[in-house]
Amino acid sequence: MRSAIRQIAWAVAVLMSIAVQAFAAPMVDQFLEAVEPQELVPGAEAFGVPRDDGLVPTLKGSDTIGWVFLTSDFVPTTGYSGKPIHILVGLSPEAHLTGAKLIKHSEPIVLVGIPESEIRAVIDHYTGFDLRSVAGPRDTDDLEIVSGATVTIMVIDDSILRAGVKAARALGLDGFAAPSASGPRKEIAPDAGQVTDWETLAGNGAIRRLMLDVGTINADFAALGDQRTEKNAETAAPDEAYVDVRTALVSHPAIGRSLLGEAGWGNLAARLEPGDHAIAVFGAGEWSFKGSGYVRGGIFDRFQLIQGEMSYRFRDRGHQRIGQIAAEGAPEFGEMDLFIVPAASGFDPARPFRLQFLVSRAVGPIEKVFLTYDLGYELPSPYVREVPSKPVAQAEPVAADTDARDALWQRIWDTKRLQVIVLAIALALLSGIFFFQAFATRNARTFAILRNAYLVFTLVFVGWIANAQLSVVNILAVVNALFSDFQWNTFLMDPLIFILWFAVAAALLFWGRGAYCGWLCPFGALQELSNKIARRFRVPQVTLLWGLHERLWAVKYIIFLGLFGLSLYSLELAERFAEVEPFKTAIILKFARPLPYVLIAFAFLLPGLFIERFYCRYVCPLGGGLAIPARLHMFRWLKRYKECGNPCQLCATDCPVDAIHPTGEINPNECISCLNCQVLYQDHARCPVVIKTDKRRAKDAASAAALAAHAERPNLGHPNQLSNAK
């Protein structure tokens, strides 16, 4: 018996080992047939034999002129669908990306919303990209973002760059080889130098300058070959300064005291943590190196610091304006600012670095083209000293891929922190409305204003600005991930969607599906607001017979169950049929889709002008999917009178979605928690029960007042009163 168990255990171990090896084996050779070598590496004629690490040489004759790799072989590339986004990338010996091609993906927004050609066009922009220029994560402002697919684009960018850096390191390309241990190294000499004037600092190289005139800028944009750049060409004199920036390392005491003065240097030194450094940037031209992006998102999107493989983007929390320059002879500047480079960035002030500036020009309503210019900087020799090299330590292992994925979703959350804060405040307000609904609905007019304002916020901010429209596709993707490779960081990629789903899960326990469907769904808000406008223009409203209305409820559940069953067979196929949701057309893409999709969206919106929330009532598979677990909600918050339904039918006839049965019960599966019935519950002018109670109280008050008056008035007919009167 024990022998049999050992044999079974051994067989299982062998099978697991084979499975692990198969899983770990590079997949690149499975996709090479989908491309020609020259598509990824110009001039290549054939693919060589794939290496064990997944790199495939590309050959011209017998010479290797580049390599091809699959991003999924080097880093996790899981997208919002929970499945990998496979991209083949070409790499040159100079560590330049020579081409990239999207091979396979399951991203729902691309499958059924955004044309795949737009994603491919974004990937084409990586051709010619120098991996040495950006080795750290990039902000969304650096990316060719496609509206509605921000998360997918950031995953693609992250996977291409991180896989590219890993491939370059594996090949030992220039800039990615291990550092040499020979020779002395330099470090900053804090006691060197002395306080001096501007001219001396500029002369010895402590201050460096980048100056570009208008003629140069116009010529460089024209060289891009995009004729649209000519429409917005600079009209100033060609020799007038357009970009004129200077920089200096002010964390060196002598340079800092010279430019900031003793008080300014003291304030800076007190602010710097151990290992931190700071640069000053001065601008005098027409072009602003700060822009306005940092006001909206806290990121200075027009320049970054690059040193070797390290890049650092400055943020508002590490920024401070300079009031005046202390150095004698300093010119006038329109912009004077300090920027702190934290120790965690890996910045070494004794090594050369550069500031890379991004100059843009509008070529359309929302489209721009860009140029980059570098301002190199090296701390002059009087301010540094040579020290013996330290023994080369064992290279630290590259951060785990899971850590990198965590860093990606954390970076996305940091980028969208303002939107997260706004949404959190809105959710807190909505929770307050529900928890204190008796107070919120006390005044019908005030509550109507509050609800309409919230619906406008949901449509404009949550929907059209933040693109946080939940979809039945999200449910299908989560269920599919549970049966495959579930990872939380996949669902953390879109902060607002994650927060909304968390809020929906909590709301299902407390209030049912209505908290989302009635208040937080952008398409639902669009339907309700459009119906209100239609009513204002006296568009006649249609009331279906109760029997027909009740039977039409089942349609959305049938659609949801059909999509769910289809997703168990093929998630991609289910996502295509999920186009029955017009959310992507009307909300995420703002009707910027081919005509058939726009017509479908209007076909669902048009009946809503005559039947309020027609789509929500009868068609929405997301509403059907949420209604199923909503039956488990623990509390009954909506107050009712015993007279509701028998004989009173006011709430039933006034319910916007006819979710109240003629017998008075509220159907929690259909209720959108608009709280209209709770407004009527307290309405002293419309609710018969309240009116009756008010009349009874008024009558009782009148009777009590009459009795009190009678008790105080003398009764002259009483014998005692008559005798006293005599």
Side-chain angles (χ1 to χ4, degrees):
M1 182 68 178
R2 292 181 178 176
S3 176
I5 293 175
R6 281 197 216 94
Q7 291 178 358
I8 293 173
W10 179 83
V12 170
V14 170
L15 290 174
M16 290 181 64
S17 176
I18 294 173
V20 169
Q21 292 177 4
F23 179 78
M27 298 180 292
V28 62
D29 55 343
Q30 302 176 23
F31 300 101
L32 289 179
E33 294 181 357
V35 296
E36 296 294 330
Q38 60 270 22
E39 292 183 69
L40 299 175
V41 179
E45 299 171 348
F47 292 117
V49 178
R51 297 174 18 154
D52 292 339
D53 56 7
L55 286 163
V56 181
T58 53
L59 308 176
K60 184 175 184 179
S62 59
D63 297 330
T64 298
I65 62 172
W67 298 267
V68 168
F69 61 89
L70 183 71
T71 53
S72 307
D73 285 337
F74 286 84
V75 296
T77 60
T78 306
Y80 197 74
S81 64
K83 295 187 177 181
I85 302 173
H86 296 298
I87 301 173
L88 283 174
V89 183
L91 179 63
S92 74
E94 294 78 25
H96 291 179
L97 301 181
T98 56
K101 185 173 182 180
L102 178 64
I103 300 299
K104 184 179 180 181
H105 72 91
S106 301
E107 295 300 276
I109 184 61
V110 182
L111 287 170
V112 296
I114 296 171
E116 190 172 293
S117 59
E118 293 193 26
I119 305 298
R120 295 185 184 277
V122 170
I123 294 176
D124 288 342
H125 282 84
Y126 288 90
T127 301
F129 191 91
D130 186 352
L131 288 173
R132 291 168 296 192
S133 66
V134 179
R138 301 198 294 168
D139 295 302
T140 53
D141 299 292
D142 295 328
L143 310 181
E144 296 284 338
I145 293 297
V146 175
S147 177
T150 302
V151 172
T152 298
I153 295 300
M154 293 189 74
V155 170
I156 289 173
D157 176 79
D158 177 75
S159 61
I160 289 178
L161 295 187
R162 287 199 298 116
V165 169
K166 282 190 173 184
R169 285 173 178 164
L171 293 165
L173 300 182
D174 183 31
F176 295 91
S180 172
S182 61
R185 63 183 182 87
K186 294 181 179 180
E187 69 176 15
I188 193 169
D191 299 328
Q194 59 185 358
V195 176
T196 185
D197 58 19
W198 180 275
E199 184 177 355
T200 301
L201 293 172
N204 66 18
I207 298 175
R208 299 293 175 96
R209 182 183 187 183
L210 171 67
M211 202 280 286
L212 300 166
D213 58 30
V214 170
T216 300
I217 292 293
N218 285 338
D220 289 347
F221 273 115
L224 295 177
D226 191 334
Q227 296 182 353
R228 295 175 298 173
T229 61
E230 298 178 5
K231 296 180 181 179
N232 294 318
E234 299 299 325
T235 57
D239 59 350
E240 184 175 330
Y242 183 72
V243 175
D244 189 0
V245 291
R246 296 169 173 87
T247 191
L249 185 78
V250 291
S251 52
H252 189 286
I255 300 174
R257 286 189 172 95
S258 299
L259 293 174
L260 307 178
E262 288 297 333
W265 162 252
N267 292 334
L268 175 61
R271 185 177 178 184
L272 294 176
E273 299 291 336
D276 289 355
H277 290 278
I279 63 170
V281 184
F282 309 96
E286 287 293 321
W287 179 78
S288 168
F289 64 82
K290 291 192 298 184
S292 59
Y294 74 98
V295 177
R296 301 186 302 272
I299 300 173
F300 290 87
D301 56 3
R302 294 192 175 186
F303 74 108
Q304 63 179 331
L305 184 149
I306 299 174
Q307 185 177 64
E309 296 181 32
M310 184 277 296
S311 65
Y312 182 74
R313 176 80 66 185
F314 296 100
R315 299 179 178 274
D316 54 1
R317 58 177 175 264
H319 163 254
Q320 179 181 330
R321 289 184 175 87
I322 299 175
Q324 62 179 7
I325 301 175
E328 183 181 350
E332 295 291 329
F333 293 101
E335 296 177 319
M336 303 182 295
D337 299 85
L338 281 176
F339 297 93
I340 293 177
V341 188
S345 67
F347 174 65
D348 182 356
R351 291 175 51 210
F353 64 91
R354 57 194 169 98
L355 297 182
Q356 186 177 81
F357 296 95
L358 187 69
V359 181
S360 65
R361 176 171 291 179
V363 294
I366 59 173
E367 189 178 356
K368 296 180 180 180
V369 294
F370 300 91
L371 294 170
T372 58
Y373 298 96
D374 291 346
L375 170 55
Y377 190 93
E378 184 174 2
L379 197 61
S381 56
Y383 302 101
V384 296
R385 61 191 177 200
E386 290 187 350
V387 295
S389 297
K390 295 181 180 179
V392 177
Q394 183 68 27
E396 295 184 2
V398 180
D401 288 329
T402 53
D403 294 338
R405 293 287 290 180
D406 288 342
L408 176 59
W409 73 255
Q410 291 167 8
R411 179 161 58 96
I412 295 173
W413 279 67
D414 188 52
T415 301
K416 296 190 176 184
R417 66 183 183 276
L418 180 60
Q419 293 183 351
V420 169
I421 292 172
V422 172
L423 181 60
I425 294 173
L427 291 175
L429 173 61
L430 183 58
S431 299
I433 292 173
F434 282 131
F435 277 116
F436 304 101
Q437 61 188 34
F439 174 78
T441 58
R442 184 173 298 173
N443 185 290
R445 180 177 177 82
T446 302
F447 180 75
I449 295 173
L450 173 63
R451 175 160 173 78
N452 288 335
Y454 205 101
L455 291 175
V456 171
F457 164 80
T458 296
L459 174 61
V460 176
F461 176 79
V462 178
W464 287 338
I465 294 177
N467 290 333
Q469 169 74 64
L470 301 189
S471 167
V472 71
V473 172
N474 303 136
I475 299 178
L476 303 181
V478 170
V479 173
N480 185 266
L482 290 174
F483 287 101
S484 54
D485 183 20
F486 180 84
Q487 292 183 346
W488 273 112
N489 55 26
T490 298
F491 300 98
L492 288 165
M493 290 294 183
D494 196 323
L496 301 188
I497 295 293
F498 181 84
I499 291 172
L500 278 176
W501 273 117
F502 183 83
V504 167
L508 289 178
L509 296 177
F510 282 87
W511 302 290
R513 77 177 180 102
Y516 177 75
C517 296
W519 293 81
L520 293 169
C521 176
F523 190 77
L526 176 60
Q527 289 182 90
E528 186 165 332
L529 292 172
S530 60
N531 181 267
K532 290 179 184 294
I533 295 173
R535 288 173 183 264
R536 185 62 62 93
F537 285 95
R538 302 184 182 278
V539 174
Q541 299 298 295
V542 177
T543 302
L544 299 182
L545 295 175
W546 177 261
L548 176 61
H549 167 67
E550 192 174 26
R551 283 161 179 77
L552 287 176
W553 282 344
V555 173
K556 59 179 174 286
Y557 300 103
I558 294 172
I559 295 174
F560 170 74
L561 292 175
L563 291 173
F564 181 78
L566 194 58
S567 71
L568 299 179
Y569 168 73
S570 169
L571 179 61
E572 291 83 356
L573 188 60
E575 287 166 346
R576 294 185 184 279
F577 277 94
E579 192 62 37
V580 69
E581 290 182 326
F583 305 159
K584 288 173 281 293
T585 300
I587 303 300
I588 296 177
L589 302 177
K590 307 173 189 65
F591 298 100
R593 294 189 72 184
L595 183 60
Y597 294 102
V598 176
L599 293 178
I600 291 173
F602 278 114
F604 285 128
L605 283 171
L606 185 61
L609 302 179
F610 308 94
I611 302 174
E612 185 170 350
R613 286 185 175 252
F614 170 86
Y615 183 83
C616 298
R617 296 190 193 197
Y618 309 124
V619 185
C620 182
L622 175 62
L626 294 179
I628 295 173
R631 294 186 64 86
L632 302 177
H633 72 280
M634 301 180 294
F635 304 100
R636 298 292 185 268
W637 298 85
L638 301 179
K639 298 178 181 180
R640 308 290 287 156
Y641 294 113
K642 63 180 181 180
E643 293 87 353
C644 293
N646 184 21
C648 183
Q649 294 289 323
L650 178 61
C651 288
T653 58
D654 207 50
C655 177
V657 292
D658 293 332
I660 303 177
H661 288 264
T663 52
E665 301 90 0
I666 297 175
N667 187 335
N669 291 348
E670 307 303 324
C671 175
I672 62 169
S673 298
C674 65
L675 302 183
N676 183 68
C677 59
Q678 300 307 288
V679 174
L680 292 174
Y681 185 88
Q682 305 180 79
D683 197 321
H684 294 269
R686 298 183 63 196
C687 179
V689 179
V690 177
I691 294 172
K692 182 179 179 180
T693 302
D694 289 345
K695 288 181 177 179
R696 186 179 66 249
R697 289 174 178 172
K699 183 178 180 180
D700 292 345
S703 298
L707 289 174
H710 181 74
E712 294 176 359
R713 186 172 64 248
N715 189 355
L716 298 178
H718 195 277
N720 292 336
Q721 295 289 344
L722 292 174
S723 61
N724 291 335
K726 293 178 179 180

